[in-house]
Structure formats: C-alpha cells, structure tokens
Amino acid sequence: MKIQIKSFEELTTTELYELLKIRSEIFVVEQDCVYLDIDGKDQKALHVIGKRNNNIVAYTRIFRGGDYFEEASIGRVVVKASERKYGYGKEIVKASIHAIEDHFKERRIKVSAQLYLERFYHTLGFNQIGDGYLEDGIPHIAMIRNK
C-alpha cells in the first residue's frame, strides 16, 4: 500500500469522490449508521490516503490540536472490507501518527474510538480516558496517545 498525505485543496475530484464513497460504504452501509459524514471539517484536515493498484483502500483524516479536539487527532479511520486481511488498519494509523508528528509537530493524539476497537488502538499506544459514550448510536471511548 502506498501512503499519500494531502490537504483538501490537493485532493483530486476522483480522490475526494473515492474517499467519501469508502467512508459511506463503511460508516453508513456496513455499520448501518445514518449520520452526516460531510461535516465541513474535511477542509481543515490533512487526508492520509492508502492506495493499492491506484485505488483507495485505507484512509484517515488528521487534525492539528484545536481544529477538532484540544489535542491533535485522527478520525474517519477506514479500510475497505476486502483489504482488512493485509494489516492496512495498523499501517494507515501509524502513517497518521507520523504525519501528525511531522506536519503538526505534536505528540499528544486523541481518537474517538469505537469501543470494539479499543485493543487495536491500545496496541498503537493509545489509552482510554474517561467513560464510554454513544456517538451516532455506536459505543465509543476517547483514547489518548502520549509519546
């Protein structure tokens, strides 16, 4: 998988269409969650795109501290269902951590993680803070990585 990091303005229309499609496939269809994905925050984010054979197979968006949460953050973490067996989830999150460190010069990173992914994020250095909560009807926990 080849990783690219782009600002909103650097995305091609094809890339924007593909990343919105994969987010919709996973968050709306696969997880049966009706919510407004296009939230006006993509313009402030850097987009971490994982491509294989020139198709987007993994994606996150990252924010500097203060643009989404008080801390730098990673969100909209997705891997196409057919590609999950290759470990692209860890690869795209690691690339996102490095992008935050390189582009924003920040070390403290927050994620709003779906509860079932707590162990996944823990293996990447994140630890739960606070109590769990419902976000769009799905159990979540806040997690912080301090390095």
Side-chain angles (χ1 to χ4, degrees), residues 1 3 8 10-11 33-34 39 41 50 57 65 69 72 82 97 103 109 113-114 116 120 132 136 143 145:
M1 180 174 70
I3 304 282
F8 185 78
E10 292 171 321
L11 294 171
C33 181
V34 177
D39 58 2
K41 294 180 177 148
V57 296
F69 295 120
S82 61
I97 291 166
H103 291 272
I109 303 170
Q114 292 185 10
Y116 82 97
F120 167 80
D136 300 314
M143 300 185 80
R145 183 178 193 274

Side-chain angles (χ1 to χ4, degrees), residues 41-63:
K41 294 180 177 148
D42 286 312
Q43 294 86 335
K44 280 189 172 186
L46 282 182
H47 302 270
V48 183
I49 302 165
K51 290 185 178 181
R52 192 166 73 102
N53 299 325
N54 213 28
N55 294 310
I56 296 176
V57 296
Y59 167 84
T60 73
R61 66 181 187 181
I62 60 173
F63 295 92

Side-chain angles (χ1 to χ4, degrees), residues 19-35 37 59-60 75-79 84 112 114 116-117 121 136 138 140:
L19 71 87
L20 292 172
K21 183 176 184 257
I22 192 174
R23 285 171 20 182
S24 182
E25 285 172 353
I26 293 164
F27 295 127
V28 178
V29 178
E30 181 181 313
Q31 296 183 352
D32 193 24
C33 181
V34 177
Y35 81 110
D37 178 44
Y59 167 84
T60 73
R76 298 292 200 268
V77 179
V78 293
V79 176
R84 292 182 187 149
S112 177
Q114 292 185 10
Y116 82 97
L117 291 169
Y121 284 106
D136 300 314
I138 297 173
H140 280 69

Side-chain angles (χ1 to χ4, degrees), residues 44-129:
K44 280 189 172 186
L46 282 182
H47 302 270
V48 183
I49 302 165
K51 290 185 178 181
R52 192 166 73 102
N53 299 325
N54 213 28
N55 294 310
I56 296 176
V57 296
Y59 167 84
T60 73
R61 66 181 187 181
I62 60 173
F63 295 92
R64 70 179 67 250
D67 280 352
Y68 195 93
F69 295 120
E70 183 179 313
E71 305 85 358
S73 61
I74 302 170
R76 298 292 200 268
V77 179
V78 293
V79 176
K80 279 190 113 161
S82 61
E83 306 297 316
R84 292 182 187 149
K85 59 189 169 204
Y86 302 114
Y88 293 155
K90 279 193 177 182
E91 195 173 332
I92 199 78
V93 172
K94 284 179 182 179
S96 300
I97 291 166
H98 294 303
I100 287 172
E101 293 171 346
D102 293 344
H103 291 272
F104 305 148
K105 308 298 183 218
E106 297 188 49
R107 302 279 182 251
R108 187 172 164 87
I109 303 170
K110 183 175 185 177
V111 294
S112 177
Q114 292 185 10
L115 183 59
Y116 82 97
L117 291 169
E118 186 272 338
R119 202 165 106 183
F120 167 80
Y121 284 106
H122 186 73
T123 66
L124 294 165
F126 290 87
N127 293 298
Q128 181 175 347
I129 57 165

